[in-house]
């Protein structure tokens, strides 16, 4: 199997993961082919509509079998990834995890499949981070695992609140590089 870089995109529910993917597909990948695996858990597929219609999207295939972290065994995961690599020949694969998933099992699965883990990117909601961290330990696990943290919805908080959120992110993960974003639009397109 050809080695392809994989970015795992994580973040609590409603943090803006799909908006960030949409922005990256529309503005930041400079014509390089990218495969995006989005988790669709509900009965009605709405996540795919977020990226459908973008000029960078050649083909959209929805899989509605649930979270790839939970429902697809290692063998089928490997087969699915191999098929994506052989048919789409992507430069990068972005796997968007569900908002309630700890990224570590997915990291292990990616490595077991022989793929090159490029980075874990966590999207943090500037306006709701404190609530997310109180609601679930997964929010902290997502931040702690990150190589890059995107503080999204920066326009919804004051400078003082943004400073408090940044200090909290720093305490949870001092090694991650941080970016700020408004509606998934980064200050720069250096992330993907």
């Amino acid at each position: 199997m050809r080695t392809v870089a994989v970015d795992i995109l994580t973040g609590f529910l409603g943090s803006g993961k799909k908006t960030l993917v949409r922005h990256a597909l529309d503005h930041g990948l400079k014509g390089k082919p990218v495969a995006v695996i989005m988790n669709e858990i509900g009965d009605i597929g709405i996540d795919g509509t977020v990226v459908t219609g973008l000029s960078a999207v050649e083909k959209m295939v929805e899989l509605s079998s649930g979270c790839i972290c939970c429902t697809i065994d290692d063998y089928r995961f490997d087969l699915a990834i191999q098929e994506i690599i052989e048919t789409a020949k992507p430069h990068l694969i972005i796997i968007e995890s569900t908002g309630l998933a700890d990224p570590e099992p997915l990291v292990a699965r990616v490595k077991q499949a022989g793929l090159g883990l490029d980075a874990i990117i966590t999207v943090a909601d500037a306006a709701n981070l404190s609530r997310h961290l109180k609601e679930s330990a997964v929010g902290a696990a997502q931040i702690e695992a990150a190589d890059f943290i995107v503080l999204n919805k920066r326009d919804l908080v004051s400078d003082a609140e943004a400073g408090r959120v940044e200090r909290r992110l720093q305490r949870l993960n001092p090694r991650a590089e941080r970016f700020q974003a408004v509606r998934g639009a980064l200050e720069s397109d250096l992330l993907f």
Side-chain angles (χ1 to χ4, degrees), residues 28-47:
L29 296 164
K30 300 180 183 38
K32 294 181 180 172
V34 175
V36 179
I37 300 171
M38 295 180 137
N39 283 292
E40 187 72 80
I41 293 182
D43 291 335
I44 300 171
I46 60 169
D47 293 347

Side-chain angles (χ1 to χ4, degrees), residues 106-133:
L106 185 54
V107 167
R109 181 165 275 177
V110 165
K111 289 179 179 178
Q112 287 170 358
L115 299 168
L117 181 64
D118 180 49
I120 300 170
I121 302 165
T122 300
V123 181
D125 180 338
N128 295 297
L129 182 67
S130 293
R131 181 174 58 85
H132 292 165
L133 292 173

